[in-house]
Amino acid sequence: MIDLTEAQQHILGAVGILEPRAVALGEALGLVNAVPVTAAESVPPFANSAMDGYAVRAADVAGAGSDDPISLRVVGELPAGHAPTVAVGAGEAIRIMTGAPMPDGADAIVMVEQTRAGEDGTVLIELSATSGDHVRAAGGDVSPGDVVVEAGVRLRPAHLGVLASVGRSEVTAYPRPRVGVLSTGDELVGDGSQLAPGQIRDSNRPMLLALLRELGAEAVDLGSARDDEAVIAAAIGSAVDGCDAVITSGGVSVGDYDAVKVVLNRLAPGSMHWWQIRIKPAKPLAFGVVQGVPVFGLPGNPVSSHVSFELFARPALLRMTGHAEVFRTPVPMTAGVGLTRRADGKTHFVRVRTERGPDGPVAVSSGSQYSNALLAMAGADGLAVLPDGPGCEPGTKVEVLVLGPE
Ligand code: AMP
Ligand code: MG
């Protein structure tokens, strides 16, 4: 048996990082930026009004107040998107909307709320202004030459907005990995048809495909293969042609029909590992690199498959796509019920539901902890990490890996 971190580090050391490529902004959410982006434009591109109001000369409205307003002649109106055609002279103002360019001559904006209509095309200014009031300077947010998105940053919606603001329509990013998912097992039925004696439904495949999509990968459904070495070898062989990684489930235990490990041993000579890892669930794992493509042979029990994906495939896929941090940060919580265990030399990952307690989050067992009991996995939003030992009495501290996209 080997330790969890040893298996994880081995896998991270064996996977390559995908070649960055140009990606349209509309496709880039969640990807990691590969090349620092330097602005070639100013944002805003020109000085403009931050308020709906009047563009004035600050010197003209010195000392204005609601009791002694100053009257200015309104010489124009300026909506956003239009260039000024007249300048603001002494004693004059231009009605201006948010985002409209500052007209020549004006150096401050008085908010419309601080004004009232005067007679004969005048406006009464009820507040004095200082030069620059409510004016957004050209380049106030971004100047040419500024790095607006560093390499290594995971692109969130605001990054895409910033890139658009400096005129970019593409970004060079690590691409979404194409990841194939193959179920293995003579017993599996995947099409909703009547179960014959001994058959079960294929629950791993939709679950693993969804875990991949949740991670931002392009999930490729490879169907399911019988427990036949030739069939599984053909399926993995063609999968590695079109995928950046392949995930199989089943066939890596010590049963007589566990063909995946046998096939991987043949397809990935020298790089294939078949491990027993000191964890529960998800003890067995096969891993190998076939023609440069990592193949993860996850165990068949659905909870084991899920946890194995979380602990091994997820970090590897994050590493392949340029993420610096590939492991979740454990969240300290208070143990609720059901988090005691017996010492067995393994780290246990207990399916928990996290709840809001009076002193922060509390983790409660979500139900059966058998590795086939997928319902309790579905009821969980975290995995409590219980190091070898007696586990956690209620009220003590426990670390939880909170599941989900982030
Ligand atoms: P294996 O790892 O192939 O020995 O399978 C372990 C257990 O997981 C067996 O009870 C299998 O029937 C079950 N199993 C394997 N693959 C799947 C799957 N795709 N969906 C649901 N259960 C599965
Ligand atoms: Mg099997």
Side-chain angles (χ1 to χ4, degrees), residues 89-115:
E92 295 178 345
I94 285 181
R95 174 83 172 105
I96 193 167
M97 313 306 155
T98 305
M102 283 301 284
D104 284 345
D107 63 352
I109 302 294
V110 178
M111 293 162 63
V112 71
E113 293 87 340
Q114 311 293 351
T115 69

Side-chain angles (χ1 to χ4, degrees), residues 329-336 339 352-357 359-364 381-384 392-393 395-403:
T329 307
V331 179
M333 298 195 186
T334 304
L339 299 185
V352 292
R353 202 175 63 237
T354 64
E355 296 173 349
R356 205 185 294 215
D359 307 312
V362 177
V364 182
D381 56 1
L383 296 173
C392 298
E393 291 295 335
T396 62
K397 283 287 161 206
V398 63
E399 297 215 307
V400 177
L401 303 177
V402 177
L403 301 172

Side-chain angles (χ1 to χ4, degrees), residues 11 37 61 64 85 87 95 112 114 137 161 181 214 315 321 337-338 359 366 382 391 395 401:
I11 291 170
V37 179
V61 298
T85 53
R95 174 83 172 105
V112 71
Q114 311 293 351
V181 175
E214 189 175 68
T321 50
V337 292
D359 307 312
S366 67
L401 303 177

Side-chain angles (χ1 to χ4, degrees), residues 184-188 225 227 249-253 255 257-260 299-301:
T184 70
D186 285 349
E187 70 277 37
L188 300 179
D227 286 315
S249 73
V252 297
S253 308
Y257 297 89
D258 286 326
V260 171
N301 273 312

